[in-house]
Amino acid sequence: MSEKTKKLERFFWFYLILNPILDIVSGLYIQFITGGDVYNVSIAPITPSLVIRMFVLLVMVGYIIMIKDWKAVKIAIPMGIAWILSMLSEFITFGSISVFIDIQYFSKFAYNIAVFFVYCHLMYRSGMSKEQIIKKINKYIMISLFLMTVVIVIPYIFGAGHYTYADRFGYRGFRGFYYSGNDITGALMILFPIGSCYYLSISEKIDKKMHIFYGLTLAMTLLSMLMIGTKTAFIAIVVTIFAVALYAIIELIKHNKQVALKVLIVVVIFAILYAVISGLAMLYSGHGMSQTLGETLKGMEHANNESTESLLFSGRLNKLMPTWKDFRDGGLLTWLFGVGRGSQLETIEMDLFEVMFYYGIFGFATMLWLYFKEGFTFVYRFIRNFNVIGLGAFLSLGLCVGYLVIAGHVLFTVTSGFYFAVILAYAKFITTCDLKK
């Protein structure tokens, strides 16, 4: 292994911590530089964090070439061809092309694909045992969760930041300084189950400080998702708590009290945190947690009573229909290669439909088969060899896939998409690597 390769691999480990910091910087940039609306600057906005991530994409591509992973290159080439053909279809169908928007949008997808390949190699080439890798990855997951939730919980106390919803049903929910509530929800939804299950899996003795850190981080994540108040966040909470509680009960029946004790630690810390944050928020901004949750649930009830479409698709069919009409009316060319992202004013924010309509049947097959292949392979191996570490990955990936199938936006984002790719690589590692090697 060359010294340059080693340095890059050390950087990629560090990047797991840098990534949530980039999202914090991006949120602060949007809040204080663009006045809270990044689209005031451009319909295809560029933030400092996106520039850094695109540079990291080039670094990751260079790393893949340096280690001569030609299999990854062969997998990526058809994806690039699908993108080029979508732009050609866009030009022929509409008589013009928005090159910058097309490049920017596909680059986010390519970034997440590169993340998957890089972190697969990072884990296999680390020289550490499987247990050491699991411990290291989850340490970074916990630190990332802590950093991300601080930027939601602390601003909430002072009433600074963005509401999750601002519509005819009022202002409700809170997402701190994150511009995209869906993006930060997706990231928390992915990391919360895997962090929870890892904490339950720890068999060796850990000191009180680590118990408090793990418990506080998970409690802050739970509180943050309640603050955000989307249907996705609530579903992730319910599914994770149900799975964790069921596992704890089963272990308690087996006379293993440690799992139940860890669950109790998180519950106690959450109760204390809820009371403290709510009290401080009432003191500084006149808005407590119970009031926030009440407004969120009331607004959600009004919104969902309007139609089944609103409940399932969060109103995104209004964005979907114009793209569907362009895709349908374009004939064989757009059916095969799509209408291109640059031809559309608004992003659909429904991943599977985006791939199909922007990149066509060819793009759908070439761009998504890797995700399908690795996902189904992981599920098969997890079912054959159940363990709580695998359960965390299963819940994380399962929630995210359910989200993006209905009305999620993950594969073309550099926040939740990054964590989805990392956890998919992690899931592959824990189900294929021999524990003793």
Side-chain angles (χ1 to χ4, degrees):
M1 187 186 300
S2 69
E3 188 60 32
K4 288 184 179 180
T5 304
K6 290 180 181 179
K7 288 181 179 179
L8 284 178
E9 289 174 349
R10 285 196 292 268
F11 167 74
F12 292 136
W13 282 114
F14 167 73
Y15 191 62
L16 288 172
I17 299 298
L18 181 61
N19 196 70
I21 295 174
L22 291 176
D23 290 312
I24 294 170
V25 170
S26 180
L28 294 173
Y29 169 82
I30 293 170
Q31 177 73 17
F32 297 107
I33 303 300
T34 71
D37 186 1
V38 72
Y39 289 99
N40 282 334
V41 180
S42 168
I43 61 171
I46 294 292
T47 62
S49 64
L50 183 60
V51 173
I52 293 172
R53 282 168 165 136
M54 292 302 100
F55 173 75
V56 172
L57 169 60
L58 297 178
V59 173
M60 289 190 289
V61 171
Y63 170 76
I64 290 170
I65 293 173
M66 284 175 63
I67 63 174
K68 299 179 181 179
D69 183 5
W70 305 125
K71 182 179 179 181
V73 174
K74 290 177 182 178
I75 291 172
I77 285 175
M79 298 179 184
I81 292 173
W83 166 57
I84 293 171
L85 290 175
S86 76
M87 289 194 293
L88 180 62
S89 174
E90 177 184 340
F91 180 76
I92 294 173
T93 303
F94 300 98
S96 63
I97 184 171
S98 300
V99 177
F100 177 75
I101 296 176
D102 280 307
I103 291 175
Q104 186 213 49
Y105 206 67
F106 182 78
S107 294
K108 296 177 182 179
F109 182 89
Y111 170 83
N112 294 327
I113 293 294
V115 165
F116 171 77
F117 288 130
V118 166
Y119 282 91
C120 278
H121 286 296
L122 200 63
M123 285 180 260
Y124 282 107
R125 291 164 55 90
S126 67
M128 293 183 283
S129 69
K130 184 176 181 180
E131 289 178 322
Q132 289 173 322
I133 289 291
I134 290 172
K135 185 175 182 178
K136 188 168 186 175
I137 288 288
N138 281 280
K139 179 182 74 174
Y140 286 128
I141 286 173
M142 288 295 190
I143 295 173
S144 297
L145 278 174
F146 183 80
L147 291 173
M148 285 189 285
T149 55
V150 162
V151 187
I152 298 175
V153 173
I154 300 302
Y156 177 81
I157 295 173
F158 301 100
H162 303 287
Y163 289 102
T164 304
Y165 296 104
D167 53 27
R168 63 188 180 281
F169 301 114
Y171 294 92
R172 60 192 191 278
F174 183 79
R175 49 187 163 90
F177 288 125
Y178 293 104
Y179 183 76
S180 173
N182 292 326
D183 215 11
I184 186 59
T185 301
L188 296 179
M189 174 183 64
I190 294 166
L191 298 184
F192 182 50
I194 204 160
S196 300
C197 288
Y198 172 71
Y199 181 42
L200 299 184
S201 73
I202 300 174
S203 56
E204 70 272 16
K205 290 184 179 180
I206 56 177
D207 58 31
K208 292 181 180 179
K209 290 181 181 179
M210 292 305 295
H211 274 298
I212 293 173
F213 174 69
Y214 287 139
L216 178 62
T217 299
L218 295 173
M220 286 180 64
T221 306
L222 180 56
L223 187 65
S224 297
M225 294 173 81
L226 289 174
M227 287 178 179
I228 291 170
T230 61
K231 293 187 293 290
T232 304
F234 288 143
I235 290 171
I237 290 170
V238 171
V239 170
T240 304
I241 289 177
F242 176 79
V244 164
L246 182 61
Y247 178 75
I249 291 170
I250 293 172
E251 289 299 303
L252 197 59
I253 293 172
K254 296 178 180 178
H255 304 291
N256 179 8
K257 297 180 181 179
Q258 293 301 313
V259 174
L261 179 62
K262 290 171 186 174
V263 172
L264 182 61
I265 289 172
V266 176
V267 170
V268 170
I269 293 177
F270 172 78
I272 295 172
L273 187 66
Y274 184 97
V276 170
I277 297 300
S278 187
L280 290 174
M282 284 294 294
L283 180 64
Y284 287 103
S285 60
H287 215 72
M289 274 298 301
S290 297
Q291 184 179 353
T292 297
L293 285 172
E295 291 171 351
T296 299
L297 294 173
K298 185 177 179 181
M300 188 178 293
E301 181 182 0
H302 287 317
N304 291 340
N305 283 339
E306 288 200 324
S307 67
T308 304
E309 177 272 324
S310 177
L311 177 63
L312 287 176
F313 301 108
S314 302
R316 289 197 175 101
L317 291 187
N318 293 330
K319 298 179 178 181
L320 175 69
M321 293 313 296
T323 309
W324 155 245
K325 290 177 181 177
D326 286 341
F327 177 80
R328 179 195 62 194
D329 296 342
L332 183 62
L333 184 65
T334 56
W335 299 349
L336 288 175
F337 306 121
V339 298
R341 169 63 186 93
S343 69
Q344 304 302 304
L345 182 63
E346 287 191 289
T347 306
I348 300 172
E349 295 186 349
M350 299 173 73
D351 282 329
L352 297 188
F353 288 104
E354 286 185 11
V355 178
M356 176 61 78
F357 293 163
Y358 295 161
Y359 305 100
I361 296 172
F362 179 75
F364 193 89
T366 57
M367 293 168 64
L368 295 183
W369 84 268
L370 178 67
Y371 283 114
F372 282 118
K373 171 183 173 293
E374 296 297 342
F376 283 119
T377 302
F378 161 69
V379 171
Y380 171 74
R381 288 172 174 159
F382 165 66
I383 292 173
R384 292 188 61 188
N385 184 25
F386 176 88
N387 58 74
V388 68
I389 294 289
L391 176 63
F394 177 79
L395 291 173
S396 296
L397 296 175
L399 283 167
C400 193
V401 169
Y403 175 51
L404 66 86
V405 166
I406 301 297
H409 193 49
V410 175
L411 304 182
F412 291 92
T413 68
V414 290
T415 298
S416 54
F418 171 85
Y419 291 111
F420 182 63
V422 169
I423 298 308
L424 186 60
Y426 173 79
K428 178 176 182 176
F429 175 79
I430 62 176
T431 53
T432 57
C433 182
D434 187 345
L435 180 62
K436 296 179 181 179
K437 291 183 179 180

